[in-house]
Amino acid sequence: MRKWKIALGTAVALGAISVASVHLLDMGNLSLNAGTAGAAPAPAAFVMPVPVVSVVKKTIPIYLDYAARTEPIRNITLQARIPGYLQEQTAADGVDVRQGDLLYKISPDDFQAALDQAKAQVQRDTATLDYARSNLGRGTELAKSGYLAKDGFDQRTSTLREAQASLAVNQAAVRTAELNLSYAEIRAPFGGRLGRNQASVGTLVSVAGTVLNTLVQLDPIYVTFNPSETDLAEIEQARANGPIEVEVLLPGQTEASQKGELTFIDNSVDRSTGTITARATIGNGKFTLLPGQYVRVRLHVREQADALMVPQTALGSSQLGKYLFVVGKGNTVDQRLVSLGPTSGDQVAILSGVAEGDQVITGNLQKIGPGAPVSPIPEKPAT
């Protein structure tokens, strides 16, 4: 009897444990199903939108670029050709003048008096010559009649020649006096710009001793630069095909402000620097350039056809060199190492690494890398 009770109690306990286990298992399944039903789907990978441009072929101008300096074609010191007191400065300091404009006046009184005296002497010699000519004419008739000796006739002939010579001397003196009087007015020998006055009104100036001012020609103007001897062959080849156009860029400029033509190449190379002196003549009608300025010049030596062009902003740099990000298969980033050619504006020629039609990525370059998925957005062409 005791054994039966123990067995019955054991069976009841095992049944209770089994029911509890089933209940706990059902609760776990309910919890698992409830968690699974409320979970969100996994997010898709982010694709970076990037602007792209196509690699295009163009014919671009090829330039040789140099540092240069402007020089005046003519630069003179204004000095007096006659001595005297400086009477007037008729052109202000720093003004632009034309050829023949009056710049300074020297007191002309002494030279006017010398001219008047020379003219009076010419009048006296003219009268003397007229008398000698008449006297010789009478002597000729008398000599034919035998009333005038040969010696007397020779004297009259000599007197006429002396009067002619004296008149010629005094006529030359008149021309000299007229020149001296004209030198009292100092005029611009060519168009240009005056500098700072160096002789006050009232100064006693001497011949070629007192500096009055300086005059510099500004239009046209020289631009001098020094190509290397390695560039000389290309420059000479371009000269053989016609005049070489030269563009001048002021500091800070990206577009040429003035243009001209290569007009001079020296006849020897400097041994110490390996360069040669060259010069361009530049039109400077607005006087934008002044002598002594540092500028840059570009020589248009030829045209390069079928150059593969991309924006310079698309270039990246690494330890291996310059590279471009290109849209590859499946809209993923493909990194291409490239070699660069000449530039044209904001674009650069690519010698190797890309082909015409490749889609080059131009933006968000720091946010992408090789193999990254991208969404290309074509850029509108610049107008």
Side-chain angles (χ1 to χ4, degrees), residues 3 8 33 51 99 142 191 193 227 234 237 267 353 371:
K3 292 180 178 179
L8 181 61
N33 291 335
Q99 183 176 359
L142 293 173
R193 179 171 294 177
E234 189 168 11
Q237 183 177 358
N267 56 9

Side-chain angles (χ1 to χ4, degrees), residues 217-231:
Q217 180 178 339
L218 298 181
D219 181 32
I221 195 169
Y222 285 148
V223 175
T224 303
F225 54 99
N226 299 95
S228 65
E229 56 185 332
T230 56
D231 293 340

Side-chain angles (χ1 to χ4, degrees), residues 358-369:
D358 284 347
Q359 298 293 302
V360 175
I361 300 172
T362 60
N364 292 331
L365 300 179
Q366 278 73 32
K367 300 178 182 179
I368 58 176

Side-chain angles (χ1 to χ4, degrees), residues 18-33:
S18 178
V19 172
S21 299
V22 170
H23 178 70
L24 290 174
L25 182 59
D26 291 341
M27 291 298 291
N29 288 335
L30 290 173
S31 299
L32 182 60
N33 291 335

Side-chain angles (χ1 to χ4, degrees), residues 150-299:
K150 181 70 171 58
D151 182 66
F153 179 78
D154 291 342
Q155 287 181 354
R156 294 188 183 194
T157 302
S158 176
T159 301
L160 175 64
R161 292 177 178 175
E162 288 178 359
Q164 290 173 334
S166 179
L167 178 61
V169 169
N170 287 317
Q171 285 175 336
V174 168
R175 290 193 294 271
T176 300
E178 288 174 342
L179 282 174
N180 288 335
L181 182 60
S182 68
Y183 294 155
E185 293 184 345
I186 300 174
R187 297 182 178 272
F190 53 83
R193 179 171 294 177
L194 279 177
R196 180 175 57 87
N197 178 51
Q198 300 182 45
S200 302
V201 172
T203 301
L204 178 60
V205 297
S206 58
V207 178
T210 305
V211 175
L212 304 178
N213 209 321
T214 57
L215 179 64
V216 178
Q217 180 178 339
L218 298 181
D219 181 32
I221 195 169
Y222 285 148
V223 175
T224 303
F225 54 99
N226 299 95
S228 65
E229 56 185 332
T230 56
D231 293 340
L232 186 57
E234 189 168 11
I235 293 174
E236 290 293 356
Q237 183 177 358
R239 288 183 78 189
N241 296 329
I244 298 180
E245 183 183 70
V246 178
E247 298 180 350
V248 178
L249 291 84
L250 295 173
Q253 287 185 338
T254 57
E255 296 295 331
S257 58
Q258 277 122 316
K259 296 182 179 181
E261 182 181 327
L262 180 67
T263 53
F264 169 77
I265 294 180
D266 208 351
N267 56 9
S268 62
V269 175
D270 190 329
R271 296 181 180 179
S272 61
T273 61
T275 61
I276 190 168
T277 300
R279 188 172 65 203
T281 304
I282 308 296
N284 190 33
K286 296 183 178 180
F287 299 159
T288 306
L289 300 175
L290 295 177
Q293 278 185 279
Y294 285 101
V295 296
R296 297 201 66 81
V297 294
R298 295 191 307 189
L299 276 65

